[in-house]
Amino acid sequence: GATAARAKHVAAAEQDLRIREASLEDRAREMEGAVTREKKRASEAEQRADHAAQQTDKIRHKEALAAAAEARSKEERQKLEAETRSLATRETEVKAREQRVKAETDRLSESLAVDQHSFSDASTEIRRRMAELASQAATLEALKAEVASREAHVASVESRLQAKSAALEAEES
């Protein structure tokens, strides 16, 4: 009787152990699944971090390109300003020549002086100034042509006056 009870007790304990073992195996499988899911999450997070680093590198590269473009733009702006100053100097020289030719040229010189004043005031408005530069260059060419025409006219008048003077002198003698 005691042996049967003991065998029954051992069988029950073995059955209990098997249930616990199965439960532990289930738990181990759950843990392995959790570990696998965690590894996958870590891998995804690492991929996202790598992607973010690549995006950061791209942004830094774009920022470097933008800075280089800005530096080139500043350099070109400075060149344009130097050319503008050079043009203003040349315009002043043309104005002086025009004043020597005739009173009519004074009117044109005043117009040019107004243009020059507007031109110098526009130093903070580079875009507008570039359009004005083209216009003023055309005006300068027209003024140079007019000055040359007037100089030729003055020379012609002087030549005729000299001829008349010589004729008068010849008549007097």
Side-chain angles (χ1 to χ4, degrees), residues 150-165:
R150 289 185 188 281
E151 286 175 347
H153 177 70
V154 167
S156 169
V157 168
E158 285 176 350
S159 171
R160 278 186 270 146
L161 285 175
Q162 286 176 353
K164 281 183 183 180
S165 176

Side-chain angles (χ1 to χ4, degrees), residues 71-153:
R72 282 191 304 275
S73 174
K74 182 178 180 182
E75 184 179 317
E76 288 176 23
R77 201 167 35 248
Q78 289 170 344
K79 285 179 185 176
L80 289 174
E81 288 170 358
E83 288 176 22
T84 299
R85 287 190 296 275
S86 175
L87 282 173
T89 301
R90 281 186 239 139
E91 288 173 21
T92 302
E93 292 167 0
V94 169
K95 180 182 167 189
R97 277 186 232 121
E98 290 169 357
Q99 287 174 343
R100 286 190 302 267
V101 175
K102 264 192 172 214
E104 171 78 25
T105 311
D106 290 338
R107 184 184 64 78
L108 294 173
S109 294
E110 288 172 16
S111 173
L112 181 60
V114 167
D115 289 345
Q116 287 172 314
H117 181 69
S118 297
F119 188 77
S120 64
D121 287 347
S123 62
T124 56
E125 300 172 4
I126 291 172
R127 287 187 189 103
R128 185 173 67 80
R129 179 173 55 205
M130 297 318 298
E132 286 179 5
L133 281 175
S135 171
Q136 290 181 6
T139 301
L140 283 174
E141 290 306 311
L143 291 175
K144 286 178 187 175
E146 188 171 330
V147 166
S149 169
R150 289 185 188 281
E151 286 175 347
H153 177 70

